[in-house]
């Protein structure tokens, strides 16, 4: 594999997987005070647009990466809303 | 402009700009308890990889979007570290 592709895959892996520790952090600590709801609302919408874009241009890596990110971002958004409403 | 490109630009704008309210939220409230340092460490590294990737393939929109995201993600990371150490 070309080194440029490796950098791309590492980039995609990191920006997608990074949301896992955020979800776990909320589940473990129950703390959501520092999290911006506005950020996750805009971000989730943006990732949904990337997913749509990936679907239209039929780019499988883009589709998979953004589907996983969408699930994780929705989890952060949902958990934050749920904790704030209690 | 083709509608596919518009979706791509909206996606790039949202996933980049979404970090602005997060930075402002920390600056306003001083709250960083809910923020996962692990997430921002991995995410910042991932965005730095995207920036390198954009540089290698000479993709200007990718370069600009990731440069702005990198600055914002570094701000969240730096502010969180600073608030936790005090």
């Amino acid at each position: 594999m070309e080194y440029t592709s490796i950098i791309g895959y590492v980039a995609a892996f990191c920006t997608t997987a990074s949301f896992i520790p955020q979800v776990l952090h909320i589940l473990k600590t129950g703390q959501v005070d520092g999290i911006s709801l506005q950020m996750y609302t805009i971000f989730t919408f943006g990732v949904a647009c990337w997913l749509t874009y990936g679907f239209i241009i039929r780019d499988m890596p883009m589709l998979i990466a953004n589907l996983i990110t969408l699930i994780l971002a929705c989890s952060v958004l949902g958990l934050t809303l749920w904790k704030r409403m209690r």
Side-chain angles (χ1 to χ4, degrees), chain A:
Chain A
M1 199 191 288
E2 210 200 330
Y3 85 102
T4 310
S5 303
I6 295 171
I7 295 172
Y9 282 116
V10 170
F13 176 79
C14 288
T15 49
T16 296
S18 63
F19 290 90
I20 298 172
Q22 181 63 73
V23 174
L24 295 177
H25 186 83
I26 298 173
L27 290 174
K28 249 189 282 180
T29 65
Q31 276 285 357
V32 292
D33 288 346
I35 289 169
S36 161
L37 267 181
Q38 250 184 306
M39 174 199 151
Y40 277 94
T41 307
I42 302 168
F43 187 81
T44 303
F45 177 75
V47 175
C49 288
W50 276 132
L51 190 67
T52 311
Y53 187 78
F55 184 77
I56 296 168
I57 67 166
R58 305 202 179 279
D59 183 306
M60 193 50 86
M62 193 179 240
L63 255 171
I64 294 168
N66 282 294
L67 185 64
I68 299 168
T69 311
L70 187 65
I71 293 166
L72 293 166
C74 278
S75 306
V76 175
L77 189 62
L79 282 166
T80 306
L81 274 168
W82 181 60
K83 296 271 178 192
R84 293 245 169 105
M85 282 194 299
R86 288 205 310 177

